[in-house]
Amino acid sequence: MKMADTGKREVCEDADETCKPTAAKRPKCGAENQPDCDGGGECANVLSGFKVKSVLRDSARDKTIFIHGTVEDQEAVVILEKTPMRQDDLAEIFQECRLKLQMKNDIYSTYQLQPPAHLNEIKTTVICPATQKHVKKYLSQEMFLVEETGEDYLSTTLPYIESQSFSVQWVYNILEKKAEADRIVFEDPDPDTGFVLLPDFKWDQKQLYDLYLIAIVHRRNIKSLRDLTSDHLPLLRNISKKGKESIQKQYGMPACKLRVYLHYQPSYYHLHVHFTSLNYDAPGCGVERAHLLTDVIMNLEADPQYYQNRTITYTLRADDNLLLRFREAGRC
Ligand code: M7G
């Protein structure tokens, strides 16, 4: 198994309040000297000045905390996630750890174990400058189900996403090799059917159980599942075939161990496909959001306009303005 290079890195998105990219507003976040594509090595502590404003979400089960704060004078979201144990590290952990006895009773004892520092890392994602939309994305919220018809999409959803969606500058940076070029696992450069496959930033690449890659298409005019027609079948089949082959080659994981799907609604409106390990309960892989690529291909083979016409059900957060628009239109 060949694992790609790993490492701590910061992700800084280029976005203003309306979530559109601006060249002028570069992230400060203490990261001025760290270009978008830098990764892998020790870096300056850009979080030393991070001031916590609020905890957006906190899951003891997932051992993850989402924090809203500021770095210098800029809004930031920081996600801290305890990384899973790795079998390969066990020998070193047992040999090098410090143990503190908590209690002993007959054959039972519990300890606090401190592993060596390098085996005790916390995966850290930094979004800076963060927009209000980022803050909302990570805030715990009540969810509501909407059933979006093809007409709803044209009259309500499309105008909304055209005015409100997240910047996809990070996607263009990947496609143009301005960021994460060293992380690319596979590329098919064909402008119509090609794509870039690389580790999703949710995956720290330390173990395969939570393998997570994304395939980002080179074509720039496909926002989401809703835009797909039978014309895109060669593109989708290509992603399915070459994406699976590359993951088998690079990580030794066969296609039958992969969950390959698109999100609807996505957060970023530039077509991309998620490849996750079947063992991993990835966020957003539930039936109300994930559409298996094989199903998408078969639906388009059966009906070229399937995704323009069919009603698609998904959830929206209570404070999502799209939900408000659906309510104003009397659609939920
Ligand atoms: P999505 O379906 O648009 O929305 O997926 P989601 O984020 O709500 O799932 C976009 C995918 O791209 C997600 O799996 C993100 O974790 C991933 N992603 C987002 N950003 C900003 C980056 C990035 O800068 N680099 C990489 N490699 N992945 C990213």
Side-chain angles (χ1 to χ4, degrees):
M1 180 186 78
K2 190 173 162 225
M3 293 287 286
D5 186 24
T6 64
K8 302 159 236 131
R9 50 179 291 110
E10 295 72 44
V11 178
C12 287
E13 280 187 51
D14 219 359
D16 63 12
E17 280 66 35
T18 55
C19 311
K20 299 287 181 212
T22 59
K25 197 167 182 181
R26 295 293 302 158
K28 292 194 221 159
C29 310
E32 299 92 315
N33 301 323
Q34 296 172 29
D36 283 338
C37 55
D38 187 26
E42 189 89 15
C43 64
N45 181 1
V46 296
L47 293 175
S48 60
F50 182 64
K51 291 196 181 65
V52 176
K53 279 185 166 177
S54 65
V55 171
L56 301 170
R57 204 185 327 154
D58 180 6
S59 166
R61 200 197 66 171
D62 298 336
K63 300 183 178 54
T64 306
I65 188 164
F66 300 77
I67 311 152
H68 176 206
T70 51
V71 178
E72 298 177 10
D73 56 346
Q74 294 194 307
E75 298 292 313
V77 171
V78 173
I79 305 166
L80 302 180
E81 182 184 352
K82 286 220 174 171
T83 48
M85 302 287 170
R86 288 194 311 147
Q87 216 171 328
D88 292 354
D89 298 335
L90 291 178
E92 199 178 344
I93 289 179
F94 291 135
Q95 267 162 30
E96 313 262 323
C97 71
R98 290 169 57 196
L99 277 185
K100 220 190 263 174
L101 181 67
Q102 286 189 309
M103 73 95 197
K104 186 162 173 50
N105 182 352
D106 189 34
I107 60 170
Y108 306 99
S109 46
T110 63
Y111 298 86
Q112 265 179 351
L113 182 154
Q114 283 180 4
H118 69 280
L119 298 178
N120 199 17
E121 289 176 338
I122 294 179
K123 179 179 186 303
T124 303
T125 305
V126 179
I127 303 172
C128 182
T131 64
Q132 272 310 305
K133 209 167 152 68
H134 288 111
V135 174
K136 277 188 186 176
K137 176 174 157 94
Y138 295 111
L139 188 66
S140 285
Q141 282 280 310
E142 201 180 346
M143 305 295 278
F144 293 87
L145 211 59
V146 296
E147 292 180 4
E148 180 195 88
T149 63
E151 274 177 28
D152 290 331
Y153 175 71
L154 292 177
S155 62
T156 305
T157 311
L158 182 59
Y160 177 76
I161 60 180
E162 278 175 347
S163 66
Q164 292 287 317
S165 55
F166 278 131
S167 162
V168 289
Q169 188 57 48
W170 67 273
V171 169
Y172 299 150
N173 288 346
I174 289 171
L175 295 176
E176 292 165 16
K177 316 287 160 25
K178 292 180 182 160
E180 304 189 52
D182 54 335
R183 286 158 46 90
I184 292 175
V185 169
F186 173 80
E187 176 169 18
D188 176 340
D190 188 287
D192 280 329
T193 59
F195 64 97
V196 168
L197 180 75
L198 79 168
D200 191 282
F201 82 168
K202 289 196 200 92
W203 185 36
D204 63 7
Q205 302 178 76
K206 299 228 163 156
Q207 59 283 310
L208 290 180
Y209 107 93
D210 60 346
L211 174 140
Y212 199 144
L213 291 101
I214 40 169
I216 301 175
V217 303
H218 275 298
R219 280 178 69 163
R220 297 205 175 189
N221 57 351
I222 315 170
K223 282 189 279 305
S224 74
L225 195 62
R226 276 287 186 206
D227 285 342
L228 293 176
T229 68
S230 55
D231 291 347
H232 301 109
L233 280 169
L235 167 68
L236 299 173
R237 291 189 190 116
N238 194 39
I239 294 174
S240 176
K241 184 171 180 295
K242 293 190 184 149
K244 288 171 186 169
E245 283 171 1
S246 307
I247 291 175
Q248 164 82 68
K249 197 165 154 214
Q250 180 83 0
Y251 303 103
M253 189 171 285
C256 60
K257 294 276 190 183
L258 292 174
R259 187 189 290 111
V260 185
Y261 55 95
L262 292 87
H263 275 158
Y264 193 79
Q265 298 281 339
S267 295
Y268 303 95
Y269 290 88
H270 175 109
L271 195 78
H272 55 274
V273 176
H274 302 250
F275 288 75
T276 64
S277 160
L278 204 53
N279 294 334
Y280 174 50
D281 204 6
C285 74
V287 291
E288 73 281 21
R289 194 162 184 221
H291 297 254
L292 286 177
L293 181 59
T294 45
D295 286 348
V296 172
I297 290 173
M298 282 190 288
N299 288 334
L300 290 172
E301 283 169 348
D303 175 0
Q305 304 296 313
Y306 187 88
Y307 288 103
Q308 282 71 63
N309 299 327
R310 88 158 252 207
T311 296
I312 307 182
T313 303
Y314 55 86
T315 55
L316 289 173
R317 291 163 178 274
D319 65 352
D320 194 318
N321 286 331
L322 181 57
L323 183 69
L324 193 69
R325 295 209 186 179
F326 267 86
R327 286 192 169 143
E328 283 167 1
R331 292 291 298 121
C332 76

